[in-house]
C-alpha cells in the first residue's frame, strides 16, 4: 500500500508554528536570531528556494564589503544547520544548497499559510481583471474573498518587529487583506449578511485596532438592532483613541456615515447631536458678540471664578456720539433726522471695533449707540491702545461724519462686585 506523502506546514501569520505530519516540530534556536530569520525565509519560499543574494537581506550592510557579508551569511547558515541537527526533525537533509539556490528541504514538501493566501489572492485578481473584459463572468467572488479573510490570522512574523524584509512583506499582506475585507463588506451589506461581517470586523479590529474597523462593526450591530453592544464598542474605541493619540478620530469618521434620520455617530453617542447644536456657526474670528443678558451671565461667571485668575480683565465702553452733544458715558440717542442712517453707523462702528478684538473677547450691543466689551487677559495699557485704534480707524474711514466714537476703559474690580 502506498504511503501518504508526509508534509511540513508552517504558520507565519499572527505567530509561528511548524508541524510535520500534524505533529509540532521545535527548532532549538532563538526566534529573533539571524540564523532563524534565514530559516523563516527558506520555509516561506518552499520549493522555489532562495538565492544567496536574497538571503543576504537579513545580513545588515554596515559598509563591510560583499566578502565580509558573504562570510557572515555562511556562518549563520552553519549555525542553522547545527540547530536543526539538535532538534526533533524527521531524518533527512535540511538547508540544502543546489545549483546556487538554498532550500529548506528537497525531500519533504513544505506548505505555509502565506503561500495559500498568495494563491487565493492571485485568483481573485485574475478574475477581477477578466471581469473587466467579460462582464458576465461567473465566479464565486464572495466565497474567495471570505476564504482569504478567514485565513488571514495576523501580521507576518510579529516577533520580528523592525526587520526590513519582514516589514515590506507584512505591508503587502495587510494591503491585500484590507482590499478583500472592503470588497466583501460591499457584497455582504447588499445581502444583509451582517452577522458574517460582524465576526470578520471583530477579528480585524483585534489585529489592527487603529484602522477604524470598529465603524463597520458598529454599523453591523445597528443593523442587527444590538444598540447597547454598538455603544459599548464605540465607548471602548473612543477611549482607546483618546488615550493613544489625545484625539477622537473615530467621531469624525462616523459622522460621514448616515443612519436613518441622522449620522451614525448620533445613534451610538446621544451627546453627539447636542454637541453639534452647541457649535458656533458662521465666522469665529474677532470678538464674540452676544446679547446683553448673555453678556451679564458671562460677567457674573467671571466674577465667581476671579480668585483662580491672575490676568486682569478690562471693561471697555465704545459709544457713537454726535460731536459736541453727549456727555461721556451717557447713552446718546440720535435725533429724528438721524434715525434712518444711525443703525448703519453703529454697524460700521461694530465692524471697526471687532477688528481690534481677540477671539476670546466678548462684547454686546448695550444700547442704541453703545457697545460694552470684556477684554480678556488685557492690561490697562492694552485697553488704552485698543481705544485709540478704534477712534483713529473710524476717523480715517469717516472723516466728514457728524458722529464720532468715544471709547472708555476701566479695570474691573472683582472684590467690589462680590460685596
Amino acid at each position: 500500500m502506498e504511503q501518504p506523502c508526509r508534509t511540513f506546514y508552517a504558520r507565519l501569520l499572527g505567530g509561528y508554528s511548524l508541524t510535520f505530519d500534524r505533529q509540532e516540530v521545535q527548532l532549538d534556536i532563538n526566534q529573533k536570531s539571524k540564523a532563524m530569520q534565514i530559516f523563516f525565509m527558506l520555509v516561506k519560499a518552499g520549493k522555489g528556494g532562495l538565492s544567496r543574494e536574497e538571503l543576504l537581506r537579513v545580513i545588515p550592510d554596515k559598509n563591510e564589503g560583499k566578502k565580509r557579508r558573504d562570510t557572515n551569511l555562511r556562518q549563520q547558515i552553519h549555525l542553522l544547520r547545527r540547530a536543526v541537527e539538535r532538534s526533533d526533525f524527521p531524518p533527512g537533509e535540511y538547508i540544502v544548497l543546489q545549483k546556487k539556490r538554498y532550500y529548506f528541504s528537497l525531500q519533504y514538501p513544505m506548505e505555509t499559510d502565506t503561500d495559500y493566501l498568495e494563491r487565493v489572492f492571485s485568483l481573485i485578481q485574475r478574475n477581477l481583471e477578466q471581469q473587466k473584459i467579460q462582464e458576465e463572468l461567473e465566479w464565486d467572488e464572495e466565497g474567495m474573498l471570505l476564504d482569504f479573510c478567514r485565513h488571514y490570522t495576523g501580521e507576518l512574523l510579529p516577533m520580528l518587529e523592525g526587520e526590513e524584509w519582514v516589514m515590506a512583506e507584512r505591508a503587502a499582506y495587510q494591503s491585500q487583506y484590507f482590499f478583500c475585507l472592503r470588497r466583501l463588506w460591499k457584497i455582504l451589506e447588499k445581502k444583509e449578511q451582517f452577522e458574517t461581517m460582524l465576526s470578520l470586523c471583530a477579528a480585524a479590529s483585534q489585529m489592527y485596532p487603529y484602522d477604524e474597523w470598529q465603524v463597520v462593526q458598529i454599523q453591523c450591530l445597528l443593523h442587527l438592532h444590538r444598540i447597547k453592544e454598538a455603544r459599548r464598542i464605540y465607548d471602548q474605541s473612543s477611549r482607546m483613541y483618546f488615550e493613544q493619540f489625545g484625539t477622537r478620530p473615530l467621531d469624525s469618521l462616523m459622522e460621514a456615515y448616515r443612519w436613518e434620520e441622522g449620522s451614525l455617530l448620533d445613534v451610538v453617542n446621544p451627546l453627539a447631536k447636542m454637541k453639534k447644536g452647541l457649535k458656533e456657526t458662521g465666522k469665529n474670528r474677532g470678538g464674540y458678540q452676544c446679547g446683553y443678558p448673555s453678556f451679564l451671565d458671562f460677567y457674573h461667571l467671571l466674577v465667581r471664578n476671579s480668585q483662580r485668575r491672575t490676568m486682569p480683565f478690562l471693561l471697555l465702553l465704545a459709544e457713537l456720539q454726535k460731536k459736541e452733544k453727549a456727555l461721556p458715558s451717557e447713552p446718546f440717542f440720535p435725533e429724528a433726522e438721524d434715525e434712518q442712517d444711525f443703525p448703519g453707523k453703529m454697524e460700521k462702528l461694530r465692524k471697526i471695533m471687532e477688528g481690534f478684538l481677540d477671539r476670546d473677547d466678548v462684547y454686546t450691543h448695550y444700547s442704541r449707540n453703545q457697545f460694552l466689551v470684556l477684554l480678556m487677559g488685557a492690561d490697562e495699557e492694552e485697553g488704552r491702545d485698543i481705544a485709540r485704534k478704534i477712534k483713529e480707524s473710524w476717523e480715517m474711514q469717516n472723516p466728514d461724519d457728524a458722529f464720532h466714537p468715544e471709547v472708555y476703559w476701566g479695570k474691573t474690580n472683582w472684590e467690589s462686585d462680590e460685596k
Side-chain angles (χ1 to χ4, degrees):
M1 182 177 180
E2 185 180 351
Q3 294 294 319
C5 180
R6 297 189 296 172
T7 305
F8 279 99
Y9 179 81
R11 181 174 71 90
L12 305 175
L13 295 169
Y16 162 73
S17 65
L18 180 67
T19 60
F20 178 77
D21 199 20
R22 299 185 180 179
Q23 297 295 316
E24 187 171 3
V25 179
Q26 297 286 346
L27 184 61
D28 183 19
I29 194 170
N30 187 330
Q31 286 192 356
K32 296 184 179 181
S33 66
K34 295 300 180 184
M36 189 63 178
Q37 289 190 53
I38 292 172
F39 176 79
F40 285 139
M41 292 179 73
L42 292 173
V43 164
K44 187 175 180 301
K47 63 181 180 180
L50 294 172
S51 67
R52 177 180 294 274
E53 287 70 26
E54 290 172 310
L55 289 178
L56 279 171
R57 293 168 66 191
V58 304
I59 307 298
D61 186 359
K62 299 180 179 179
N63 299 320
E64 296 176 339
K66 185 177 184 301
K67 187 175 181 180
R68 185 68 179 269
R69 293 183 72 206
D70 284 342
T71 301
N72 195 343
L73 178 60
R74 285 195 296 270
Q75 291 173 345
Q76 297 300 328
I77 291 174
H78 174 73
L79 292 173
L80 178 57
R81 285 170 173 158
R82 293 288 299 274
V84 172
E85 290 173 5
R86 296 193 303 267
S87 303
D88 53 353
F89 278 61
E93 291 187 11
Y94 298 93
I95 322 303
V96 180
L97 175 62
Q98 187 177 91
K99 296 181 180 180
K100 297 184 179 181
R101 293 189 74 80
Y102 286 88
Y103 302 86
F104 164 71
S105 172
L106 293 176
Q107 296 175 251
Y108 302 101
M110 167 64 73
E111 295 178 359
T112 64
D113 51 357
T114 54
D115 187 49
Y116 181 78
L117 286 186
E118 287 169 12
R119 291 198 302 270
V120 174
F121 192 75
S122 179
L123 285 172
I124 292 172
Q125 282 186 308
R126 189 180 68 186
N127 286 327
L128 288 175
E129 288 297 322
Q130 187 65 26
Q131 195 170 338
K132 293 178 182 178
I133 304 170
Q134 184 182 347
E135 293 185 4
E136 300 300 322
L137 179 69
E138 292 187 6
W139 62 291
D140 186 11
E141 181 179 4
E142 178 187 336
M144 295 181 74
L145 293 170
L146 193 58
D147 192 29
F148 186 99
C149 292
R150 284 177 171 167
H151 280 85
Y152 184 91
T153 54
E155 293 189 327
L156 177 70
L157 299 171
M159 75 288 292
L160 297 182
E161 193 66 40
E163 295 292 339
E164 289 186 14
W165 72 272
V166 176
M167 299 300 288
E169 297 200 32
R170 183 183 294 176
Y173 289 120
Q174 179 184 330
S175 177
Q176 294 172 6
Y177 174 56
F178 285 174
F179 173 86
C180 292
L181 203 55
R182 292 189 187 101
R183 196 166 183 89
L184 188 58
W185 168 230
K186 292 180 181 179
I187 296 171
L188 295 179
E189 186 179 25
K190 289 179 182 178
K191 293 185 174 182
E192 298 187 356
Q193 295 181 8
F194 302 114
E195 287 282 6
T196 302
M197 195 64 200
L198 181 61
S199 64
L200 293 172
C201 282
S205 296
Q206 286 290 324
M207 291 184 281
Y208 300 104
Y210 302 112
D211 283 275
E212 299 167 341
W213 288 105
Q214 300 93 335
V215 175
V216 183
Q217 268 186 283
I218 290 169
Q219 283 183 279
C220 292
L221 287 167
L222 291 176
H223 279 294
L224 295 168
H225 307 290
R226 290 153 64 175
I227 308 297
K228 287 185 178 180
E229 288 183 63
R231 287 177 177 166
R232 177 176 55 79
I233 290 175
Y234 167 79
D235 290 339
Q236 290 174 348
S237 303
S238 295
R239 192 181 309 115
M240 176 189 67
Y241 275 102
F242 189 77
E243 290 173 354
Q244 183 69 22
F245 304 111
T247 58
R248 299 186 185 274
L250 201 65
D251 285 4
S252 58
L253 186 69
M254 292 178 66
E255 191 69 53
Y257 289 87
R258 307 306 298 173
W259 180 265
E260 296 177 354
E261 298 299 323
S263 73
L264 189 65
L265 180 61
D266 295 337
V267 181
V268 294
N269 184 358
L271 286 175
K273 196 170 185 178
M274 299 179 194
K275 286 167 68 178
K276 284 190 290 186
L278 293 173
K279 286 184 179 178
E280 183 180 355
T281 58
K283 66 177 182 65
N284 57 8
R285 299 188 303 273
Y288 181 80
Q289 183 180 12
C290 61
Y292 181 69
S294 298
F295 183 91
L296 202 57
D297 289 338
F298 187 73
Y299 179 85
H300 290 164
L301 185 62
L302 288 176
V303 171
R304 290 190 174 203
N305 288 278
S306 61
Q307 298 301 318
R308 302 179 189 175
R309 300 182 181 273
T310 57
M311 295 293 288
F313 300 89
L314 264 69
L315 282 171
L316 184 144
L317 177 69
E319 63 183 16
L320 202 58
Q321 298 184 6
K322 202 160 188 178
K323 293 178 181 178
E324 301 177 356
K325 273 225 169 183
L327 296 173
S329 299
E330 288 187 1
F332 164 76
F333 299 102
E335 298 173 359
E337 61 267 23
D338 303 316
E339 285 284 344
Q340 185 175 358
D341 191 43
F342 198 74
K345 295 182 185 297
M346 287 300 293
E347 178 61 16
K348 282 184 181 180
L349 177 60
R350 186 193 69 79
K351 288 182 178 179
I352 290 173
M353 181 184 69
E354 190 180 53
F356 296 105
L357 301 181
D358 292 333
R359 293 181 71 240
D360 53 353
D361 296 334
V362 183
Y363 70 95
T364 187
H365 201 158
Y366 181 64
S367 70
R368 294 178 70 186
N369 70 312
Q370 291 178 316
F371 289 104
L372 197 56
V373 186
L374 269 173
L375 301 174
M376 309 297 293
D379 55 29
E380 290 197 46
E381 183 178 350
E382 290 170 326
R384 190 180 296 109
D385 187 52
I386 291 173
R388 176 182 59 78
K389 288 178 178 178
I390 293 173
K391 293 185 69 172
E392 288 177 354
S393 182
W394 174 275
E395 290 167 1
M396 186 179 297
Q397 295 181 34
N398 307 278
D400 301 324
D401 204 292
F403 292 90
H404 71 120
E406 287 294 339
V407 187
Y408 312 96
W409 69 91
K411 184 177 180 181
T412 58
N413 189 336
W414 303 119
E415 291 183 3
S416 61
D417 287 333
E418 290 177 341
K419 290 179 181 179

